Amino acid sequence: MEPLFGVVLALILAAASPANDSCTCATNKWAVCAQDGPGNCTCRLAGSDHPVDCSTLTSKCLLMKAEMLPLKEKRLWRPPQGVLDSDGIYNPDCEDSGVFKARQCNQSSSCWCVNSAGVRRTEKGGRGLSCSELVRTRWIYIELTHKRRSNAFHAPDVTKALTRLFESRYKLHPKYIAAIKYDPLLIQIRLHQSKKPSWDVDIADVAYYFEKDVNNDSVFHSNSKLTVSVNGDTLAIDKLWIYYVDEKPPEFCMRQLAAGIGAVVTVVLLTAGVGIAVLLILRWLRTRTYKKFECKEMREIKATSSE
């Protein structure tokens, strides 16, 4: 009986082991997953306990929040670098749905308004700053260069390869890829999504996943290096730039522009003042020299007359 029990126990453990191994989140390496029932795997974002849908991309806001967690709360999955943008690192505030809150603040009580991609669209202010709405980013322009090679790729092949990449890896429907243009070494991708149905991924999340992949800091659980193949040849991405265009223009006030114009006007006035002062001094020197010469000449004439 004991040998039979041992065989049964071994079979049970063998069957359970793959299930535990498969309880991971393919689209988010920072998700903590647990088997809470036969065939049921639940994943939540490390530190925030926010449920994660592993069949699609995680929102950029939640990803940024996960990246800001202390190392001890994130086990061994923390990337080597934090989130860095032109405004510095901040821990974003997210809605329950995962989207950014319209107003973001840092620990120094400085606040600003962001778009749906989490990019600042106003000047920074105090805690009293009001952001009436979360303005949607409807256009995203991606520019990238690839490493030099002996033969350039064919433009249709590049378009086909990148369309397939965005559709298969990032779950983006091709209808949101407005255009892909290729000139040797330079690739331009234009994404357009005026409205996002609940079943589609957001182009801002796609751009963020793509940026992390290019920087060799993949969000996917496999953490595999991004490889793009064009007719069997590797497209080695070299540099990447991402631009965001919102439904409404940014609301930066004119203070910075006015300060710049004021500085230019000040420099011009100072330059003009110095120039005028130099001219006056030169004129005074010429006048003084002329008067000295005139007086000397008059003295000589008087001396001659007296003789």
Side-chain angles (χ1 to χ4, degrees):
M1 179 64 69
E2 290 183 0
L4 179 60
F5 176 77
V7 171
V8 173
L9 181 60
L11 292 174
I12 293 175
L13 291 176
S17 179
N20 290 332
D21 291 341
S22 63
C23 191
T24 57
C25 187
T27 58
N28 192 332
K29 65 181 180 182
W30 298 316
V32 177
C33 302
Q35 201 89 28
D36 56 1
N40 189 17
C41 180
T42 301
C43 299
R44 295 182 177 276
L45 202 60
S48 66
D49 203 36
H50 194 285
V52 177
D53 182 1
C54 298
S55 65
T56 187
L57 304 186
T58 306
S59 72
K60 178 181 177 180
C61 187
L62 293 177
L63 290 177
M64 289 176 60
K65 198 169 189 67
E67 288 180 282
M68 291 300 300
L69 296 176
L71 181 61
K72 62 181 181 180
E73 296 182 16
K74 292 195 56 193
R75 301 184 184 179
L76 301 177
W77 298 331
R78 183 177 177 84
Q81 69 275 0
V83 179
L84 179 64
D85 58 25
S86 58
D87 299 311
I89 300 175
Y90 73 96
N91 188 2
D93 293 324
C94 310
E95 302 285 358
D96 292 338
S97 61
V99 301
F100 287 93
K101 289 187 176 181
R103 193 186 75 160
Q104 299 290 329
C105 301
N106 58 21
Q107 295 179 351
S108 63
S109 299
S110 179
C111 300
W112 59 93
C113 301
V114 299
N115 57 20
S116 60
V119 178
R120 185 165 67 93
R121 51 177 282 109
T122 66
E123 289 188 6
K124 291 184 178 181
R127 291 283 178 177
L129 178 68
S130 176
C131 304
S132 59
E133 61 177 330
L134 182 68
V135 179
R136 177 160 185 78
T137 297
R138 63 174 181 176
W139 291 95
I140 292 183
Y141 293 84
I142 301 174
E143 291 186 356
L144 57 93
T145 59
H146 66 81
K147 294 182 179 179
R148 191 175 299 276
R149 44 178 282 137
S150 57
N151 297 321
F153 294 105
H154 294 293
D157 296 335
V158 172
T159 299
K160 183 178 179 181
L162 290 174
T163 301
R164 183 171 60 248
L165 172 72
F166 278 87
E167 184 177 10
S168 60
R169 186 174 179 86
Y170 307 114
K171 319 297 182 186
L172 182 67
H173 196 284
K175 67 182 179 181
Y176 298 124
I177 303 177
I180 298 178
K181 183 179 179 181
Y182 173 64
D183 292 320
L185 299 185
L186 175 65
I187 301 174
Q188 296 173 302
I189 305 171
R190 187 172 65 187
L191 306 180
H192 177 235
Q193 189 180 51
S194 56
K195 294 182 180 179
K196 190 196 82 67
S198 58
W199 56 84
D200 282 333
V201 297
D202 196 304
I203 57 174
D205 301 336
V206 171
Y208 193 66
Y209 267 77
F210 183 60
E211 181 181 12
K212 302 290 281 184
D213 275 340
V214 171
N215 293 333
N216 293 326
D217 186 23
S218 177
V219 180
F220 293 100
H221 186 270
S222 61
N223 204 25
S224 59
K225 186 177 180 180
L226 176 67
T227 56
V228 183
S229 178
V230 180
N231 277 348
D233 294 329
T234 300
L235 177 69
I237 298 175
D238 188 20
K239 296 180 181 179
L240 174 71
W241 300 270
I242 300 178
Y243 304 91
Y244 304 88
V245 180
D246 300 339
E247 291 179 339
K248 298 181 179 180
E251 299 174 1
F252 293 102
C253 70
M254 299 300 291
R255 281 184 297 178
Q256 291 181 345
L257 182 59
I261 295 176
V264 172
V265 171
T266 301
V267 171
V268 171
L269 291 177
L270 286 175
T271 304
V274 172
I276 293 172
V278 171
L279 291 174
L280 291 175
I281 292 173
L282 291 175
R283 183 179 179 183
W284 177 76
L285 290 174
R286 284 198 302 268
T287 303
R288 184 180 179 186
T289 303
Y290 175 76
K291 286 183 176 180
K292 285 183 177 180
F293 176 78
E294 186 180 36
C295 291
K296 182 179 179 181
E297 190 178 40
M298 290 297 295
R299 285 196 299 268
E300 290 178 351
I301 292 174
K302 288 181 179 181
T304 303
S305 301
S306 62
E307 292 177 357

